Amino acid sequence: MKCGKLVDVGRRSFLRGGLMTGAGVAAAAVAGTGAAPAHAQTSLARVQNPSTRLANLADLVVNEPLDITYPDEDSPGVLLKLGTPVQGGVGPDGDVVAFSVMCPHKGWLMSYNTADKTLNCPGHFSRFDCEAGGQQVWGHATQNLPQFQLRVDETGDIFAEGADELIYGRLSNVL
Ligand code: FES
């Protein structure tokens, strides 16, 4: 019984509050000066990734890494022509990919192993498979390697236009 009354009082208070709020909004609208209503600044849900030319298809040799940076100069990466079609691969052979070379564990710079087409970390020895979208195959890291999304235009120019994981040390890939 006691609880029921409390609930009822609470409901009445809520409704009264709602009416007061509605009245306040109406009064504010009437008192308005006729100026255009202010709009709240909304933040973009997705960042705008830059489109950056990395190289031309003609610059690439199978299994020879080419140093790049993306999405800015402080983010080193590697561009690779792997020789066989792979996940995320672009170009006529579907074999051109690009990755960050900053280890997702603690940011050490990694090197490419031509024998098994992995990127290898000298810090704590994590390894990432470049033929499998940068999948971690061994080590301390708890994240796969960021793979850059690529596009090839009609002249063979290769552009990076995004990344599928967060680059080491960043709260947002685009700073
Ligand atoms: Fe690469 Fe630790 S920094 S495994």
Side-chain angles (χ1 to χ4, degrees):
M1 190 67 177
K2 193 176 176 186
C3 288
K5 280 184 180 171
L6 282 176
V7 168
D8 197 41
V9 166
R11 189 180 297 130
R12 277 201 299 272
S13 297
F14 173 78
L15 288 172
R16 206 165 40 240
L19 287 173
M20 290 297 284
T21 305
V25 170
V30 169
T33 59
H39 292 284
Q41 194 72 31
T42 54
S43 57
L44 293 172
R46 295 169 65 90
V47 296
Q48 201 67 37
N49 293 297
S51 178
T52 305
R53 182 186 179 281
L54 302 178
N56 188 277
L57 288 173
D59 301 326
L60 301 180
V61 176
V62 173
N63 216 18
E64 278 190 20
L66 188 70
D67 291 340
I68 58 161
T69 59
Y70 183 80
D72 53 57
E73 294 296 311
D74 295 326
S75 175
V78 67
L79 182 63
L80 292 159
K81 180 173 174 61
L82 294 173
T84 52
V86 291
Q87 183 178 327
V90 298
D93 303 319
D95 65 342
V96 176
V97 289
F99 296 95
S100 169
V101 291
M102 296 176 77
C103 180
H105 180 220
K106 292 199 173 181
W108 286 59
L109 292 181
M110 299 189 290
S111 56
Y112 182 66
N113 182 338
T114 56
D116 63 4
K117 298 177 180 171
T118 57
L119 280 160
N120 293 236
C121 179
H124 314 97
F125 314 114
S126 285
R127 300 171 66 232
F128 302 87
D129 188 346
C130 295
E131 293 182 302
Q135 183 177 6
Q136 182 182 351
V137 291
W138 201 87
H140 284 47
T142 55
Q143 176 190 313
N144 293 334
L145 199 55
Q147 180 170 12
F148 299 138
Q149 286 142 11
L150 303 179
R151 174 178 62 86
V152 179
D153 74 8
E154 60 284 354
T155 69
D157 281 344
I158 306 161
F159 296 84
E161 300 187 326
D164 66 354
E165 298 272 0
L166 200 55
I167 296 165
Y168 175 78
R170 298 188 175 211
L171 297 177
S172 169
N173 282 344
V174 179
L175 301 178

